[in-house]
Amino acid sequence: NPSPIDFAYTFEGHCQMGWSSMSPKVKPIIDNPYERLVVNIDEGNLGKVIEKLCMLSTYFTEEGTVSARYEYRRGELTVAIEDSGVGIDAQTLPHVFDRFVRNQKEELCGTGLDLPIVQSLVQQMGGTIEMESELGKGTTVWVSIPCEAKVIERRVV
């Protein structure tokens, strides 16, 4: 259900909701480069995606940083969630969007449904989701959603 929303205004709130149970040893970083960015997008589902990805980033990061940033370019909103957590091994990474994934030690990674649900929501909005990770170094997830910008006002640095 796309509708006009000032994403610059709502972005930080979604990140904070996802990071609400973060360890005190983790530093959150939010990069919001826009004063106003009104885009025609499904804010409810995109908000769920951001909150879930932020929650997962803190779940696997006991100390270090978690960060969130976004950019609007050529009809597409791209959100990146990054952490300095435990990361994902190379054998498990290609399967993270499958249900009930187990790592190399045959341990269930979370409930097994979070990332498949996130992927489904992203695809329903016509978008894509990509993940890059290295064991022991952290994970970055990019979500790109096609949308039309109504107002673009970048922050003055």
Side-chain angles (χ1 to χ4, degrees):
N1 298 320
S3 61
I5 185 76
D6 186 350
F7 190 72
Y9 179 76
T10 63
F11 178 66
E12 188 169 338
H14 289 302
C15 296
Q16 296 296 350
M17 286 289 292
W19 290 337
S20 62
S21 61
M22 182 170 31
S23 162
K25 295 179 181 178
V26 176
K27 179 185 179 201
I29 301 166
I30 296 177
D31 182 8
N32 188 345
Y34 294 88
E35 195 66 44
R36 290 184 68 217
L37 179 64
V38 178
V39 290
N40 197 35
I41 204 160
D42 185 338
E43 201 265 336
N45 280 333
L46 182 56
K48 289 175 191 171
V49 166
I50 293 168
E51 290 171 23
K52 186 62 74 176
L53 291 174
C54 284
M55 184 271 304
L56 289 169
S57 73
T58 62
Y59 185 77
F60 293 104
T61 307
E62 292 182 20
E63 60 183 331
T65 60
V66 290
S67 67
R69 64 186 184 280
Y70 70 94
E71 186 66 55
Y72 179 81
R73 200 173 290 138
R74 295 185 194 98
E76 197 166 73
L77 180 69
T78 301
V79 176
I81 309 296
E82 187 171 2
D83 67 64
S84 63
V86 298
I88 302 167
D89 65 78
Q91 290 75 27
T92 305
L93 189 60
H95 305 285
V96 294
F97 297 110
D98 299 342
R99 295 176 187 265
F100 308 111
V101 171
R102 294 180 180 277
N103 64 16
Q104 283 184 315
K105 298 175 187 172
E106 287 302 308
E107 300 165 327
L108 187 63
C109 301
T111 63
L113 294 174
D114 291 325
L115 286 174
I117 289 170
V118 164
Q119 182 185 45
S120 178
L121 289 172
V122 169
Q123 289 173 342
Q124 287 175 27
M125 292 183 281
T128 59
I129 184 168
E130 299 174 62
M131 183 181 290
E132 184 177 280
S133 187
E134 189 175 337
L135 198 58
K137 296 202 176 180
T139 302
T140 303
V141 181
W142 294 272
V143 172
S144 296
I145 307 292
C147 61
E148 178 187 353
K150 306 284 187 187
V151 177
I152 301 174
E153 292 177 17
R154 291 190 78 79
R155 290 188 190 273
V156 178
V157 180

